[in-house]
Amino acid sequence: MLNSDALPYVAKIVDSMAVSTRTLASVIASIPTSDGAGVKLRRSLGARSTLRVDPFLMLDEFGTDNPDDYIGGFPPHPHRGFETVTYMLDGHMRHEDHMGNVGDLTPGGVQWMTAGRGIIHSELPQQADGRMRGFQLWINLPSAEKMKPATYRDIPADDIPLAKITGGTVKVIAGTFHGNDTITGPISGLTTEPLFFDVCLDKDTVFEHGLTATHSAFVYAYEGQVEVGPEDSALTLPRQAAGVLTPGDAVRLKALADTRVIVLAGKPINEPVEQQGPFVMNTRKEIEQAISDYRDGTLATVARKE
Ligand code: FE2
């Protein structure tokens, strides 16, 4: 039975069931910098300690046709307390680490490395000329996992599913894509539940996808340009800038040109972050321990693979 007094209540239920589309909360511009042995890149998240989107700590985009900008690569260096994700678009790098892992980073491939208690690795270009382009993303680990053993996965392009959508494609690197088919990427089962899509859109294509309401999210257009948010109030995101999204349960992007945009979401860790260079822990004392362990050779203690 439904009487007139009940109507507003019904309306409220319907309203609360409506999808709330996220819009831009803030924009983190990328700034030119260099890392490793002089590799030139653009850093958005992580350019300052306040510019993080928990659980994401840093996003670097590298892209150049000039070998002088990348030829030095990243000679051996340590990490502790988080994960690094390298996504190659163009070029060829070789990863080696203290555990004996060797990985070839080739176009379209992903390297997912969990530093845990410690890893020492290098990433060196395997080309003397040509284009080098891609991303490195740092994802934090919760305190309970910061000291777990290091792991490494090299995921070639062929192992990363590509979903076709009207007016584009979605490369599903991590998390699950819900379209005509449900497609789960090769990375799953992590505490931070990362979603990582590389979305390619023809001009004027609208891309909409559900996001877990409690997860942090941002988008980064590296080619073309997108507007972000509900159709009636969408905001334009500059190219090569991280657009941090408001809370809500869906993302909506419209391509203002032929566009490539990465979409990232993850479960916030909500713990203190103490970072010094390649070490990301919860307290200053833990950072000092990491530095001390690196100096005395105990940071990376996993036996080398035969
Ligand atoms: Fe590294």
Side-chain angles (χ1 to χ4, degrees):
M1 196 176 92
L2 190 67
N3 62 36
S4 57
D5 289 345
L7 281 174
Y9 181 59
V10 171
K12 220 175 193 176
I13 290 173
V14 171
D15 186 46
S16 69
M17 287 168 66
V19 171
S20 68
T21 301
R22 298 178 181 225
T23 190
L24 284 179
S26 61
V27 174
I28 303 173
S30 63
I31 54 167
T33 182
S34 68
D35 209 339
V39 178
K40 293 208 172 126
L41 47 84
R42 299 188 70 91
R43 182 164 293 163
S44 48
L45 272 67
R48 292 202 309 273
S49 62
T50 51
L51 301 177
R52 299 183 180 121
V53 182
D54 185 15
F56 304 106
L57 299 163
M58 192 187 84
L59 180 70
D60 285 348
E61 177 188 7
F62 49 94
T64 177
D65 296 316
N66 180 358
D68 293 343
D69 292 345
Y70 63 73
I71 205 71
F74 300 88
H77 60 278
H79 294 286
R80 172 178 281 181
F82 61 103
E83 308 192 73
T84 71
V85 181
T86 308
Y87 175 33
M88 288 296 281
L89 295 168
D90 298 294
H92 185 186
M93 300 258 272
R94 178 182 164 96
H95 159 101
E96 287 188 41
D97 64 40
H98 78 279
M99 297 181 289
N101 293 304
V102 176
D104 259 335
L105 285 143
T106 53
V110 168
Q111 168 193 285
W112 200 288
M113 192 181 80
T114 304
R117 63 157 287 120
I119 196 162
I120 296 171
H121 77 143
S122 62
E123 292 148 306
L124 297 171
Q126 301 298 297
Q127 62 191 47
D129 52 31
R131 194 169 207 205
M132 183 75 77
R133 189 166 71 134
F135 292 95
Q136 188 166 90
L137 173 73
W138 288 12
I139 308 177
N140 205 1
L141 286 169
S143 57
E145 297 179 31
K146 282 185 178 292
M147 295 298 277
K148 70 182 184 181
T151 58
Y152 171 82
R153 276 191 69 186
D154 190 13
I155 307 156
D158 288 349
D159 291 351
I160 302 174
L162 188 73
K164 284 197 168 55
I165 58 171
T166 305
T169 56
V170 180
K171 193 165 175 177
V172 186
I173 296 167
T176 299
F177 172 76
H178 299 279
N180 291 334
D181 299 310
T182 297
I183 297 173
T184 298
I187 298 295
S188 58
L190 303 180
T191 302
T192 49
E193 301 173 23
L195 175 146
F196 186 173
F197 295 164
D198 181 11
V199 182
C200 185
L201 301 173
D202 295 340
K203 185 175 186 294
D204 296 328
T205 300
V206 173
F207 171 77
E208 289 182 282
H209 196 273
L211 295 175
T212 303
T214 51
H215 286 190
S216 310
F218 69 96
V219 299
Y220 185 102
Y222 61 96
E223 288 180 14
Q225 198 163 43
V226 286
E227 63 172 36
V228 182
E231 189 173 4
D232 57 358
S233 58
L235 299 168
T236 300
L237 174 67
R239 186 190 309 179
Q240 295 182 297
V244 184
L245 304 184
T246 57
D249 46 19
V251 58
R252 177 187 175 277
L253 307 173
K254 181 180 177 186
L256 302 178
D258 290 350
T259 293
R260 292 186 74 176
V261 54
I262 56 176
V263 177
L264 281 149
K267 184 178 180 183
I269 293 172
N270 292 316
E271 290 178 1
V273 176
E274 191 71 35
Q275 176 175 2
Q276 182 162 332
F279 307 127
V280 182
M281 304 300 289
N282 296 110
T283 66
R284 187 65 218 161
K285 196 174 166 203
E286 290 166 341
I287 291 289
E288 282 159 13
Q289 186 65 52
I291 294 167
S292 164
D293 288 351
Y294 180 51
R295 284 195 183 133
D296 69 18
T298 58
L299 179 109
T301 53
V302 177
R304 191 176 171 83
K305 275 185 180 175
E306 293 306 322

